[in-house]
Amino acid sequence: LRLYEKAPARIVPILRPYLTRTDMGTWTNDPAILTYVEGRLQRGIYRGIGEFHLAAGEANTAVVRGFVQLALRRGIFLHAHTDDAGAEALLRLDPKVQVLWAHAGMSAGPDTVGRLLDRYPTLTVELALRYDVAPGGQLDPAWRNLFLRHPDRFMVGTDTWVTSQWDRLPEIQAGIRAWLRQLPREVTEKLAFKNAARLTGNTP
């Protein structure tokens, strides 16, 4: 929020729903979290809710359903850290909700990711920490084919969840740029910034 105050044209606030670290494992059954998020969204500056952690069996709770309704009413997206079953359960709550799938599920392969993209048009995928996309710096053929098939549905990511990741940020970005250059320029630009700008409503 301090960064947003200094550069509102460049910073896109996303509201993480946790008040304490313990909430990561309990928030889906805590009505106070929904009340907190609803109150914070009144500021009108947040473009999404998340990143939040979600197990597949937790999607059909009153709090998660409340998140979906908040996202639909406010025209914002849900940024979910979950596996493919959890992502699908979340999308099934309402086919209109926009979901940004964190880390492409951490371990879901391109076949699984592609299946969900084919089935759910409101799903977008971010690729933070997915080093298998380009092992050794060489873009994996299966991932490359998927990017070409769904060029409007992916974005790169870095995930600076610990301080040391900020120290490594130039290295991380250099690695991402190396495999982005192995795609057609139009696809590269979409993954690098255009898809994210469109999802967050910051399209120039």
Side-chain angles (χ1 to χ4, degrees):
L1 291 177
R2 290 195 295 269
L3 287 171
Y4 175 74
E5 289 169 2
K6 293 181 179 297
R10 300 188 66 185
I11 303 300
V12 180
I14 312 298
L15 179 60
R16 196 170 206 191
Y18 307 145
L19 294 171
T20 69
R21 189 162 184 84
T22 304
D23 291 337
M24 292 174 65
T26 61
W27 72 271
T28 57
N29 288 298
D30 186 352
I33 294 293
L34 182 57
T35 302
Y36 164 73
V37 169
E38 201 162 9
R40 290 296 295 270
L41 290 178
Q42 297 295 325
R43 294 192 62 178
I45 64 172
Y46 295 101
R47 295 300 308 142
I49 302 171
E51 174 187 2
F52 54 78
H53 296 73
L54 181 72
E58 297 172 333
N60 197 29
T61 67
V63 177
V64 179
R65 293 196 304 271
F67 275 23
V68 169
Q69 293 308 309
L70 282 173
L72 291 169
R73 284 204 308 270
R74 294 188 166 272
I76 60 179
F77 61 89
L78 301 177
H79 188 191
H81 181 128
T82 186
D83 61 10
D84 56 297
E88 192 158 18
L90 186 60
L91 287 156
R92 282 177 176 165
L93 293 176
D94 194 300
K96 298 184 296 296
V97 70
Q98 293 278 340
V99 173
L100 177 60
W101 192 13
H103 318 292
M106 288 301 287
S107 60
D111 289 346
T112 299
V113 176
R115 176 180 61 81
L116 291 185
L117 288 171
D118 291 340
R119 183 174 298 176
Y120 299 100
T122 58
L123 176 65
T124 304
V125 179
E126 60 100 329
L127 299 164
L129 306 179
R130 288 306 302 261
Y131 303 111
D132 58 314
V133 166
Q138 186 63 40
L139 187 58
D140 178 84
W143 280 107
R144 186 181 194 279
N145 290 338
L146 186 54
F147 298 153
L148 295 178
R149 194 168 98 222
H150 288 293
D152 298 319
R153 311 279 294 282
F154 286 95
M155 66 181 72
V156 298
T158 52
D159 200 330
T160 49
W161 85 99
V162 290
T163 307
S164 59
Q165 285 292 94
W166 286 104
D167 296 331
R168 294 186 57 238
L169 196 57
E171 172 194 342
I172 293 168
Q173 290 181 317
I176 292 170
R177 289 174 180 139
W179 65 255
L180 282 175
R181 285 193 291 268
Q182 298 169 43
L183 291 164
R185 182 179 180 86
E186 180 182 356
V187 177
T188 293
E189 291 182 351
K190 288 181 176 182
L191 269 66
F193 63 92
K194 287 184 176 179
N195 292 341
R198 187 182 68 251
L199 182 68
T200 60
N202 276 22
T203 306

